[in-house]
Amino acid sequence: MFVKKFGAAMFIAVTTIACSQAEITQPPIPVTPKIAANASGLDVYAGQRRRGAQVPQFRGQEIVQIRTWGTANGSSRAEAIGVGCLLDSGIYSASFKTPANVLVPDYGPNSPAIFVRCESAIGSGSITVNATNKTAQERNASAAGTGLLGAIVIGAVNESRRNNETDDFGYNPIVIQLR
């Protein structure tokens, strides 16, 4: 089914990009809720929340950048442009061509893992990613240049400041390796 959808109609251009990435020219692609009756816009739990169900709190939306890389001309690695992909979280999905920005709902620490599968004439690949605590990542990045002891102390302080209710969660950029 996936191959039929993207196989014959797909145009693949492989570009060699040393230090830069291909420009994303298409607008952000919104996900589609699996159960439309439960959703309001990107909030896939809105209907259940209105009925009093204990579901994750909607915090807004975020953009997840997704790119594909593969082998070009037998040996060199390059970003693959126009590769057909499917994203699925179990509660929403999207289909798109890379590189792309995908618009997903933000449920903080309760954001679902997302599975992305991409296929092209040069190969296929998939990955599952979890939402990460972006606030903690920023705090930990500040500890990186302080040496081992400084990093340990700052890491312990940062961990004590972790708050799932107020910290920002999101997905890091996703890169699918085509093989």
Side-chain angles (χ1 to χ4, degrees):
M1 287 175 245
F2 184 81
V3 175
K4 287 181 185 175
K5 184 170 187 176
F6 294 109
M10 184 171 47
F11 171 76
I12 304 287
V14 177
T15 57
T16 305
I17 301 172
C19 295
S20 64
Q21 297 175 328
E23 181 180 353
I24 298 175
T25 57
Q26 61 186 324
I29 291 120
V31 296
T32 302
K34 296 253 179 139
I35 303 174
N38 282 338
S40 175
L42 282 182
D43 184 5
V44 298
Y45 294 119
Q48 294 167 290
R49 195 176 302 103
R50 278 193 302 273
R51 293 188 292 278
Q54 294 285 28
V55 295
Q57 187 62 38
F58 183 64
R59 294 185 176 187
Q61 60 192 23
E62 80 163 276
I63 291 181
V64 180
Q65 185 181 98
I66 303 174
R67 297 178 177 277
T68 48
W69 283 74
T71 302
N73 301 326
S75 64
S76 62
R77 304 280 306 156
E79 184 169 5
I81 310 299
V83 176
C85 299
L86 292 175
L87 177 147
D88 193 328
S89 75
I91 54 175
Y92 56 78
S93 63
S95 62
F96 54 92
K97 293 185 188 256
T98 60
N101 287 319
V102 180
L103 195 59
V104 299
D106 178 0
Y107 294 107
N110 298 309
S111 295
I114 53 178
F115 173 77
V116 182
R117 172 119 182 109
C118 302
E119 291 187 9
S120 76
I122 61 171
S124 65
S126 63
I127 192 169
T128 301
V129 297
N130 292 309
T132 61
N133 185 324
K134 297 288 195 170
T135 305
Q137 274 184 341
E138 289 172 15
R139 286 185 200 127
N140 291 338
S142 68
T146 61
L148 182 59
L149 183 57
I152 291 170
V153 171
I154 292 172
V157 170
N158 287 344
E159 190 59 32
S160 71
R161 294 174 60 196
R162 172 177 251 153
N163 183 339
N164 284 349
E165 296 302 315
T166 59
D167 284 0
D168 185 30
F169 284 76
Y171 301 95
N172 291 321
I174 298 170
V175 176
I176 309 294
Q177 300 296 328
L178 303 176
R179 301 187 198 301

